[in-house]
Amino acid sequence: MSASIARMRRAAVESVSGLPRQFWWLWTSTLINRLGAFVATFLALYLTVERGFSASYAGLVGALYGLGGVISSIGAGVLTDRLGRRPTMLIAQLSTAASVALLGFMEHPVAIAAVACLVGMATNASRPAVQAMMADIVAPEDRVRAFSLNYWAINLGFAISSTAAGLIAEHGYLALFLGESALVLACALVVFWKLPESRPEAMGPKDGTQDAAASAPAAVSMLTVLRDGRFMTVVGLNLLLALLFQQAYVSMPVSMGQDGFSSSDFGLVIAVNGVLIVLLQIPVTRFIEHRSPAMLLIGSALLAGYGFGLTALAGSVAMYAVAVAVWTLGEIINSPTQMGLVVQLSPVHGRGRYQGMYALSWSVASLTAPLLGGAVIDHYGADALWAGCAVVGTVAAVGYGLLLRNVPRHAGAGAGAASSDTVAASDTVAASDTVAASKPEGSRSREAGPASAPTEPVA
């Protein structure tokens, strides 16, 4: 028993040690933000149960929320590279706090829809900056672990907020809107006081000589990203999975409401997702980090698809929870593997744009999933939707198998490369992430990490 406890303690220490202080402040801001993530989770129930709107209208509002994210994804990615990670995050968080509070006071259906679009735009705008800053400040060999820890914080906050919000909603939804606004403001304060800018500067001499021009990294534009076929295939496959995961926050609550379940029931069911990620994300990541990303991504797609497919058989809170547990395991496996692959394929000086395009896949899913889910439920019933989810998961699994089968084990990485085609996407891409798209890395180097951000274990 003592040996097992010692091994668990050693594993826990290894999971959190060796990361820079700046990462832990970014992690803290993420946790605070997600502790207040009430509105997006309960918006569909608020509209259908509290306000009496139809599932189609709830789907329309959810789609407009996603449209806001589509609009902001590309712009936020460009701002992340040009203006910087920190200013982009602050603009996004202050805008989110204001728009979420405003949404709580809207009464007219058109006003609700319009403000929901603004909320989606503001909420999604910080994603490219957060992911780019994390890649900037964490050593390549630690990134999968860092992404897992950050995802763990997201779901720790989500598990707490979803359970609490379900109970709070029983006494009035306005408190949810104002509570989220307050916590997003607290997140912005952490960013303002504790997170210095991490954007990499152009490398090489700055004396205006020919050597300076030759050593500068090649320009990365959105056209560069769109021409990167390998990366865009990853974005497309992630879109399919995002379409599945979005059903948990739009179609599943609507389906549960139609079956007579309450907001508290939905809060308990969806909290299973956050609780399992909190319990399993770090140990599962330690187990999978040196395994083939091809098999991991294929398996995660199948678990996601058939997990949502099981929802068709759910007639009780317990059965809904079982279905959530299955697709949550797929999410746990997919998240660090996919994020490691995205960073691996992104040039250093184009990380904001690449992360913006990746975030766009989630935004497009937020736009289209509510429309599809609401329409299918209204016209064909919820069971048809859940069967379709199983098909989508299968298609994504096949796509990952074909993509990673054709990815070469080694590829040259020229200095200043603007396209991710110069980067090897080997079978250990998600685990080691040791190749930067624009320059070679030292074994413990931190790309453009500030000198004042020492490496230390979490306090």
Side-chain angles (χ1 to χ4, degrees):
M1 179 65 71
S2 59
S4 298
I5 294 176
R7 283 196 300 270
M8 292 175 61
R9 183 181 295 113
R10 183 168 61 253
V13 171
E14 290 173 355
S15 295
V16 301
S17 63
L19 295 169
R21 181 186 295 124
Q22 193 173 350
F23 165 80
W24 289 110
W25 282 117
L26 187 61
W27 184 91
T28 300
S29 71
T30 297
L31 178 61
I32 294 172
N33 195 359
R34 293 303 295 179
L35 284 171
F38 304 139
V39 172
T41 305
F42 282 82
L43 185 58
L45 271 177
Y46 167 70
L47 294 173
T48 56
V49 175
E50 177 75 7
R51 303 299 303 275
F53 293 113
S54 68
S56 294
Y57 176 77
L60 173 63
V61 173
L64 289 172
Y65 180 95
L67 176 62
V70 170
I71 294 171
S72 67
S73 291
I74 301 301
V78 174
L79 282 178
T80 296
D81 283 338
R82 290 188 176 181
L83 188 62
R85 283 65 160 137
R86 182 173 177 267
T88 302
M89 281 190 281
L90 288 173
I91 292 170
Q93 289 158 358
L94 293 175
S95 300
T96 298
S99 58
V100 164
L102 181 63
L103 182 60
F105 293 98
M106 294 297 99
E107 297 287 340
H108 195 278
V110 174
I112 292 173
V115 177
C117 184
L118 294 177
V119 173
M121 187 182 302
T123 301
N124 196 70
S126 63
R127 182 178 293 173
V130 170
Q131 300 296 336
M133 177 175 281
M134 200 172 303
D136 293 339
I137 64 180
V138 176
E141 63 270 23
D142 292 332
R143 285 189 191 133
V144 169
R145 181 161 56 98
F147 282 128
S148 292
L149 287 168
N150 193 66
Y151 201 64
W152 185 80
I154 289 172
N155 287 279
L156 175 62
F158 178 71
I160 296 171
S161 67
S162 59
T163 303
L167 299 174
I168 295 171
E170 296 289 334
H171 304 283
Y173 278 85
L174 181 59
L176 297 182
F177 293 93
L178 297 180
E180 176 164 344
S181 178
L183 285 170
V184 173
L185 283 176
C187 175
L189 288 175
V190 171
V191 172
F192 181 79
W193 289 109
K194 296 296 184 179
L195 285 175
E197 180 55 56
S198 67
R199 179 177 53 152
E201 298 295 335
M203 305 296 292
K206 299 184 179 180
D207 56 4
T209 64
Q210 186 175 359
D211 288 342
S215 61
V220 177
S221 67
M222 291 310 304
L223 186 60
T224 306
V225 182
L226 291 171
R227 287 175 174 172
D228 190 336
R230 184 184 305 157
F231 179 78
M232 291 304 298
T233 301
V234 171
V235 170
L237 293 172
N238 185 71
L239 172 60
L240 293 180
L241 292 183
L243 287 170
L244 298 182
F245 292 124
Q246 287 296 321
Q247 302 306 322
Y249 311 109
V250 179
S251 298
M252 192 169 76
V254 170
S255 178
M256 291 185 69
Q258 290 181 346
D259 289 341
F261 295 100
S262 67
S263 59
S264 295
D265 293 329
F266 172 67
L268 291 173
V269 167
I270 199 63
V272 171
N273 172 255
V275 170
L276 286 180
I277 292 176
V278 168
L279 294 176
L280 299 180
Q281 184 71 65
I282 294 175
V284 169
T285 298
R286 290 177 61 83
F287 176 76
I288 69 174
E289 62 181 349
H290 298 298
R291 285 168 170 78
S292 165
M295 297 306 299
L296 295 175
L297 291 172
I298 291 170
S300 66
L302 292 174
L303 286 168
Y306 288 94
F308 278 100
L310 284 174
T311 308
L313 305 177
S316 65
V317 170
M319 280 303 299
Y320 272 107
V322 169
V324 169
V326 174
W327 60 255
T328 295
L329 182 57
E331 184 181 0
I332 289 171
I333 296 171
N334 180 270
S335 176
T337 310
Q338 183 96 292
M339 287 189 288
L341 181 61
V342 169
V343 173
Q344 175 76 17
L345 296 176
S346 304
V348 171
H349 292 275
R351 278 180 179 153
R353 289 172 172 85
Y354 271 69
Q355 290 290 346
M357 182 59 69
Y358 177 67
L360 181 63
S361 64
W362 286 99
S363 300
V364 170
S366 296
L367 171 63
T368 57
L371 291 175
L372 291 172
V376 171
I377 289 175
D378 281 345
H379 293 92
Y380 303 103
D383 289 351
L385 175 66
W386 307 129
C389 288
V391 174
V392 171
T394 302
V395 171
V398 172
Y400 280 121
L402 294 175
L403 172 69
L404 297 183
R405 182 192 65 181
N406 293 326
V407 169
R409 286 184 172 273
H410 301 285
S419 169
S420 63
D421 285 339
T422 62
V423 183
S426 68
D427 284 344
T428 58
V429 59
S432 61
D433 196 16
T434 55
V435 182
S438 66
K439 63 183 180 64
E441 297 284 348
S443 62
R444 292 292 297 176
S445 66
R446 284 177 169 76
E447 301 164 359
S452 59
T455 300
E456 63 180 26
V458 62

